[in-house]
Amino acid sequence: MRHSAVPEGSGFASLEEVATLFSYRPAVFAGWVHYISFDLLAGRYIVIDSQKHGIPHLAIVWTVPLTLLFGPAGLVCYMGVRSLWALICGRKEKDKSA
Protein backbone atom coordinates (compact mmCIF):
# COMPACT_ATOMS: atom_id res chain seq x y z
CA MET A 1 0.00 0.00 0.00
CA ARG A 2 1.41 3.36 -0.99
CA HIS A 3 1.37 6.21 1.53
CA SER A 4 1.49 9.79 0.31
CA ALA A 5 2.92 12.49 2.52
CA VAL A 6 1.17 15.81 2.97
CA PRO A 7 2.99 18.42 0.86
CA GLU A 8 5.80 20.31 2.54
CA GLY A 9 4.83 23.85 3.52
CA SER A 10 1.14 23.03 3.90
CA GLY A 11 -0.95 23.94 6.93
CA PHE A 12 -3.52 26.43 8.22
CA ALA A 13 -1.34 29.35 9.34
CA SER A 14 -1.63 31.28 6.06
CA LEU A 15 -3.58 31.29 2.83
CA GLU A 16 -0.49 30.09 0.99
CA GLU A 17 -0.17 27.08 3.32
CA VAL A 18 -3.86 26.22 2.86
CA ALA A 19 -3.49 26.45 -0.93
CA THR A 20 -0.52 24.06 -0.70
CA LEU A 21 -2.53 21.69 1.50
CA PHE A 22 -5.37 21.65 -1.03
CA SER A 23 -2.97 20.51 -3.74
CA TYR A 24 -3.09 17.18 -1.86
CA ARG A 25 -6.10 15.23 -3.17
CA PRO A 26 -7.15 13.54 0.12
CA ALA A 27 -7.18 16.96 1.83
CA VAL A 28 -9.37 18.36 -0.96
CA PHE A 29 -11.81 15.48 -0.52
CA ALA A 30 -11.92 15.86 3.27
CA GLY A 31 -12.48 19.61 2.95
CA TRP A 32 -15.20 19.17 0.35
CA VAL A 33 -17.06 16.60 2.47
CA HIS A 34 -16.83 18.86 5.51
CA TYR A 35 -18.07 21.95 3.66
CA ILE A 36 -20.91 20.25 1.81
CA SER A 37 -22.18 18.44 4.91
CA PHE A 38 -22.15 21.62 7.02
CA ASP A 39 -23.87 23.67 4.32
CA LEU A 40 -26.62 21.13 3.70
CA LEU A 41 -27.32 20.51 7.39
CA ALA A 42 -27.31 24.23 8.18
CA GLY A 43 -29.69 24.92 5.26
CA ARG A 44 -32.02 22.18 6.48
CA TYR A 45 -31.89 23.58 10.00
CA ILE A 46 -32.82 27.06 8.73
CA VAL A 47 -35.89 25.83 6.87
CA ILE A 48 -37.17 23.56 9.66
CA ASP A 49 -36.47 26.07 12.45
CA SER A 50 -38.15 28.92 10.57
CA GLN A 51 -41.26 26.76 10.16
CA LYS A 52 -41.28 25.97 13.90
CA HIS A 53 -41.10 29.69 14.70
CA GLY A 54 -43.73 30.67 12.12
CA ILE A 55 -41.33 32.82 10.09
CA PRO A 56 -42.58 33.32 6.53
CA HIS A 57 -40.56 31.55 3.88
CA LEU A 58 -39.95 34.79 1.98
CA ALA A 59 -38.26 36.25 5.06
CA ILE A 60 -35.63 33.49 5.18
CA VAL A 61 -35.34 32.23 1.62
CA TRP A 62 -32.32 34.45 0.90
CA THR A 63 -30.37 32.99 3.83
CA VAL A 64 -30.38 29.45 2.38
CA PRO A 65 -28.30 30.22 -0.74
CA LEU A 66 -26.10 32.45 1.43
CA THR A 67 -25.50 29.44 3.69
CA LEU A 68 -24.80 27.15 0.74
CA LEU A 69 -22.26 29.63 -0.66
CA PHE A 70 -20.68 31.09 2.48
CA GLY A 71 -21.51 28.63 5.29
CA PRO A 72 -21.58 30.27 8.71
CA ALA A 73 -22.38 33.74 7.30
CA GLY A 74 -25.77 32.50 6.09
CA LEU A 75 -26.49 30.82 9.42
CA VAL A 76 -25.63 34.02 11.31
CA CYS A 77 -27.92 36.01 9.00
CA TYR A 78 -30.74 33.57 9.66
CA MET A 79 -30.26 33.94 13.41
CA GLY A 80 -30.56 37.69 12.92
CA VAL A 81 -33.79 37.27 10.93
CA ARG A 82 -35.18 34.95 13.61
CA SER A 83 -34.38 37.44 16.39
CA LEU A 84 -35.82 40.31 14.38
CA TRP A 85 -38.98 38.31 13.67
CA ALA A 86 -39.42 37.61 17.39
CA LEU A 87 -39.04 41.33 18.18
CA ILE A 88 -41.42 42.45 15.44
CA CYS A 89 -44.10 39.96 16.40
CA GLY A 90 -43.69 40.59 20.11
CA ARG A 91 -43.10 36.94 20.70
CA LYS A 92 -40.69 35.54 23.22
CA GLU A 93 -38.40 32.79 22.03
CA LYS A 94 -39.60 29.45 23.34
CA ASP A 95 -37.68 26.25 23.36
CA LYS A 96 -40.01 23.95 21.44
CA SER A 97 -37.71 20.99 21.79
CA ALA A 98 -38.78 20.32 25.39
Side-chain angles (χ1 to χ4, degrees):
M1 183 171 183
R2 188 178 138 205
H3 294 283
S4 297
V6 176
E8 179 135 354
S10 64
F12 295 103
S14 71
L15 184 57
E16 189 173 313
E17 288 182 5
V18 172
T20 303
L21 179 64
F22 279 112
S23 69
Y24 180 58
R25 193 166 178 85
V28 172
F29 178 72
W32 179 78
V33 168
H34 169 77
Y35 299 136
I36 199 74
S37 62
F38 171 83
D39 294 349
L40 290 174
L41 290 174
R44 182 178 185 274
Y45 168 78
I46 289 170
V47 172
I48 292 172
D49 190 66
S50 67
Q51 291 171 346
K52 278 185 187 177
H53 287 87
I55 302 171
H57 186 68
L58 285 176
I60 62 101
V61 71
W62 63 276
T63 64
V64 175
L66 190 64
T67 301
L68 295 177
L69 292 171
F70 302 108
L75 190 57
V76 168
C77 288
Y78 168 68
M79 292 301 185
V81 169
R82 188 173 91 170
S83 297
L84 187 60
W85 183 256
L87 286 173
I88 290 172
C89 293
R91 298 182 194 168
K92 292 185 179 177
E93 296 275 333
K94 294 180 183 176
D95 185 14
K96 294 187 178 186
S97 63

